[in-house]
Amino acid sequence: MASNNIKNVYLRLIGYLSRYKRFVFAGYVAMISASLINLLLPQVVKNAIDQGLAEGNMGSILRSSLLILLIAAVRGLAAFGQRYCGEWLTYRVAYDLRKDFFDSIQSVPISFHDVAHTGDLMSRATSDTAETERFVGMGLMDLGSVIILSVGVCVAMFYESTYLAWLSIGPILLVLVLSVRFAGRVRPMFKAVQEQMGILSTRMQESMTGITVVKSFARETHEFETFERENESWFRKRYRGILEWGTYWPLFGFALASSVFILLWFGGPQTIDGTVSVGSLFAMVWYVLMLNGPSQRLGFLVNLAATAGASATRVFSIIDADAEETAASGSIALEHVNGEVVFDNVCFGYRPGHNIVNDISFRVSAGQTVALVGPTGSGKSTIINLIPRLYNTTDGRILIDKVNINDMSLNGLRKHVGAVMQDIFLFSTSIRDNIAYGVGDASDEEIVEVAKAANAHEFILKFRDGYNTLVGERGVSLSGGQKQRVAIARALLRNPAILLLDDSTSSVDTETEYQIQQALRMLMRGRTTFIIAHRLLTLKEADQIIVLESGNIIELGTHEELLANKGSYRNLYDLQLRSQEEFQYDPE
């Protein structure tokens, strides 16, 4: 089974080459030509020795000299064609691999990213792809050149002297056997090296992303030690591969030296007694020596092939990951959505048999606001994530305007759903590009209009570059409140019928909180809104409040109705929310 998987990996890599038949044909014709032309040189020199030097024929020597120059010129042209096409194929396949990899990363469901490590994915996209591209283009062509030259040398040697060829071919075959054995031994070693590089990249990415936490807790030494441990593990695995390579490499050279020894030991007497000409013996020695460079390259190329196979396996495992658009996805694309949402006995669990939410049923009329409250782990975020199908329900159904969302195309569904969550993500581009992210053809006037509605216009203009200000990685140059308002403007521009919000503003000052709340009111106007509520004012203004506990709805109603019930909501109000009534922010 393992050998079939290895074979399939290499066949898939060759499949990438088959997209560019013209370059493959030209490159391999040039490679074959350059390899076969090399075989002519010993024959030309043989004639120069036997017919020129031995007989004192200067004409024959001159013709041989000119022929060598012509062969060198033709071989140079062929070598240029081989190198040009090989390098072009190398980087074109790299382009295709990275494109397929990135497309797959964008297409897989969010559950894939829940368990994947960003550092490992980056290692596969860069290090593994680089190892693969080196082999599939120029490396594979060089390997073909070595094989053709080796076969050609064996044929030429039998042409010169069958007896001497049989005696000296054993070490050459030994090189082939050693190469195959070497490939089988180093491939799993280099697969382990690439996997460890993924772990190392993950460790580095997490440490850099969390550098503030590291320094706040003075854990630099711990990070040094953790990284050193993983780095040392990478070195040990890499060293085992190098040691294997170093063990086999001298054997290749020794085997060829043995062939030369055999030729001189047994061919020398035949040359002295005239059975074999001096030119023929010289040609056979040259043929064997011609394999010296290729035999050394063979070790490198086999190593490269083994590394590429291991790396390609890691790359293809991502490319082959199940895409989000499954057979269960429908093709209905609603042009207009009023915003009525119905949950009908909805269940969901990240693992089979372990539901996070159970039998959730409620109805929200178009334009209503629904507040979700409950302790951590009660299922609030899960319910919100089910609406745009970031996760698919395991049972029950969700209807939007009486249409099952499983019957809608994902793009058709998500263009009607907008989100502004507590963990705001901004791309490291300009403020303008971040606001226009969901609407690529938005005009400057539209962007300014939604920024004003989101109370973001004034602070944007205070930057020297205004809307062209670069926000840095994850929006690092903006404050938390500024990032939220940019995200609100982004959602306003998208103009969704259904809105998903987390209204947590605990990390901002009261003035910023007021500006954010005013922007949220503008955003929520006329839209069906699901909001994870943390503020009493939000709960009071909600048309429905859903109280969750352990993935179940335990109460449902308005603020006044739930207070009158004197249940869980009333307890929550008394413990956490009543104090909010003691302070009301007055913008005046």
Side-chain angles (χ1 to χ4, degrees):
M1 182 65 71
S3 61
N4 287 335
N5 290 336
I6 295 170
K7 183 172 70 174
N8 290 338
V9 166
Y10 290 120
L11 288 176
R12 285 188 67 173
L13 289 176
I14 293 172
Y16 276 86
L17 291 176
S18 66
R19 304 176 184 180
Y20 309 105
K21 294 182 176 61
R22 185 161 56 92
F23 279 90
V24 171
F25 177 78
Y28 278 83
V29 166
M31 179 270 290
I32 293 170
S33 300
S35 300
L36 295 180
I37 286 172
N38 272 338
L39 299 175
L40 298 178
L41 286 173
Q43 293 297 319
V44 174
V45 175
K46 168 191 169 182
N47 291 333
I49 293 173
D50 290 342
Q51 299 176 14
L53 294 176
E55 299 178 5
N57 186 345
M58 284 300 301
S60 178
I61 294 175
L62 182 60
R63 285 193 299 272
S64 296
S65 301
L66 292 175
L67 189 55
I68 287 173
L69 287 178
L70 179 62
I71 290 173
V74 174
R75 187 190 179 285
L77 288 174
F80 170 79
Q82 175 186 348
R83 180 62 57 180
Y84 177 84
C85 293
E87 295 291 348
W88 190 94
L89 289 169
T90 294
Y91 296 112
R92 189 64 198 185
V93 169
Y95 169 88
D96 290 340
L97 273 174
R98 289 194 179 96
K99 178 180 180 300
D100 290 349
F101 185 93
F102 186 79
D103 289 349
S104 179
I105 289 296
Q106 297 297 312
S107 301
V108 293
I110 198 72
S111 56
F112 175 92
H113 294 280
D114 289 340
V115 296
H117 295 286
T118 303
D120 181 57
L121 293 178
M122 290 302 299
S123 175
R124 296 182 194 225
T126 53
S127 176
D128 286 315
T129 304
E131 294 291 347
T132 302
E133 73 186 42
R134 289 170 59 203
F135 169 73
V136 74
M138 201 65 234
L140 187 60
M141 197 172 287
D142 281 345
L143 184 60
S145 175
V146 168
I147 293 172
I148 290 173
L149 185 61
S150 300
V151 173
V153 163
C154 292
V155 171
M157 289 177 66
F158 275 99
Y159 172 77
E160 288 296 330
S161 172
T162 302
Y163 171 70
L164 291 178
W166 276 119
L167 289 175
S168 60
I169 202 167
I172 296 174
L173 295 178
L174 178 62
V175 170
L176 178 62
V177 172
L178 288 174
S179 298
V180 173
R181 189 168 185 270
F182 173 70
R185 288 179 63 86
V186 299
R187 186 178 185 276
M189 292 181 182
F190 282 102
K191 185 174 186 293
V193 168
Q194 294 305 106
E195 288 174 349
Q196 183 62 29
M197 178 57 73
I199 295 172
L200 195 62
S201 299
T202 297
R203 182 68 252 161
M204 187 181 296
Q205 181 263 333
E206 288 180 347
S207 182
M208 289 189 293
T209 303
I211 191 65
T212 303
V213 177
V214 173
K215 290 188 174 295
S216 297
F217 285 86
R219 295 288 284 172
E220 291 91 341
T221 302
H222 168 76
E223 292 299 317
F224 294 152
E225 292 172 351
T226 303
F227 184 81
E228 179 67 17
R229 189 163 54 250
E230 299 296 350
N231 204 18
E232 178 68 23
S233 177
W234 173 85
F235 174 78
R236 287 197 303 270
K237 292 176 181 179
R238 186 77 184 184
Y239 176 73
R240 282 198 291 270
I242 294 172
L243 190 63
E244 194 75 20
W245 191 3
T247 301
Y248 275 84
W249 188 282
L251 294 178
F252 298 149
F254 181 79
L256 293 179
S258 299
S259 286
V260 174
F261 168 79
I262 291 170
L263 284 173
L264 293 177
W265 184 266
F266 292 97
Q270 288 190 333
T271 302
I272 292 173
D273 63 22
T275 306
V276 175
S277 69
V278 174
S280 290
L281 181 61
F282 182 86
M284 293 195 72
V285 171
W286 190 341
Y287 280 130
V288 172
L289 293 177
M290 283 176 66
L291 293 178
N292 185 48
S295 69
Q296 294 183 14
R297 286 213 317 276
L298 184 62
F300 169 77
L301 292 171
V302 170
N303 173 32
L304 183 61
T307 307
S311 295
T313 301
R314 284 166 45 82
V315 173
F316 288 140
S317 70
I318 303 299
I319 293 176
D320 294 339
D322 291 334
E324 190 173 29
E325 190 75 49
T326 62
S329 298
S331 58
I332 298 175
L334 299 179
E335 292 300 321
H336 175 74
V337 167
N338 293 319
E340 181 191 63
V341 178
V342 175
F343 274 62
D344 183 17
N345 296 318
V346 170
C347 298
F348 171 76
Y350 295 102
R351 293 179 298 163
H354 295 80
N355 284 344
I356 304 298
V357 295
N358 300 283
D359 294 324
I360 299 296
S361 296
F362 61 86
R363 178 183 176 278
V364 183
S365 299
Q368 283 191 333
T369 296
V370 179
L372 305 174
V373 296
T376 301
S378 58
K380 302 186 297 295
S381 297
T382 299
I383 288 175
I384 280 183
N385 288 333
L386 292 175
I387 295 172
R389 285 187 60 197
L390 296 180
Y391 301 95
N392 289 314
T393 60
T394 52
D395 200 5
R397 57 181 186 158
I398 301 173
L399 308 177
I400 294 179
D401 290 355
K402 298 182 172 57
V403 177
N404 192 327
I405 62 172
N406 288 337
D407 295 330
M408 302 171 66
S409 66
L410 285 177
N411 288 337
L413 167 65
R414 290 174 183 171
K415 78 175 184 178
H416 297 297
V417 181
V420 180
M421 307 310 288
Q422 184 178 0
D423 184 17
I424 301 298
F425 183 89
L426 298 182
F427 294 92
S428 56
T429 56
S430 67
I431 293 176
R432 182 199 185 284
D433 290 342
N434 273 285
I435 293 176
Y437 184 74
V439 184
D441 58 351
S443 66
D444 290 340
E445 292 76 14
E446 290 173 322
I447 291 171
V448 171
E449 182 181 351
V450 295
K452 288 179 177 178
N455 284 333
H457 181 67
E458 290 186 7
F459 84 74
I460 292 173
L461 292 184
K462 290 180 181 178
F463 291 114
R464 184 182 63 182
D465 296 326
Y467 283 84
N468 292 320
T469 299
L470 299 178
V471 302
E473 186 176 2
R474 299 178 66 89
V476 68
S477 64
L478 303 182
S479 69
Q482 288 172 338
K483 286 195 289 187
Q484 277 196 305
R485 280 175 278 170
V486 169
I488 291 170
R490 181 167 61 188
L492 271 171
L493 188 63
R494 187 76 180 272
N495 194 27
I498 298 170
L499 193 60
L500 313 176
L501 298 176
D502 186 334
D503 81 329
S504 178
T505 52
S506 58
S507 61
V508 299
D509 58 72
T510 53
E511 182 177 356
T512 301
E513 178 181 355
Y514 172 76
Q515 292 174 333
I516 292 172
Q517 291 302 323
Q518 290 298 104
L520 286 174
R521 283 197 183 94
M522 175 65 72
L523 180 60
M524 293 163 60
R525 190 174 300 163
R527 294 180 172 87
T528 303
T529 304
F530 291 80
I531 185 165
I532 298 176
H534 306 273
R535 303 177 67 258
L536 180 61
L537 184 59
T538 302
L539 295 167
K540 283 183 173 181
E541 294 178 351
D543 297 294
Q544 291 186 60
I545 299 172
I546 297 175
V547 184
L548 295 162
E549 187 176 294
S550 301
N552 296 285
I553 295 178
I554 58 174
E555 288 186 288
L556 191 154
T558 64
H559 174 69
E560 290 77 14
E561 291 170 347
L562 295 179
L563 284 182
N565 287 345
K566 297 183 179 180
S568 295
Y569 181 80
R570 177 60 182 264
N571 293 334
L572 175 69
Y573 172 80
D574 290 336
L575 289 172
Q576 300 179 27
L577 302 175
R578 186 186 293 275
S579 60
Q580 294 183 21
E581 289 189 315
E582 298 174 4
F583 177 80
Q584 294 291 333
Y585 178 76
D586 185 357
E588 300 298 329

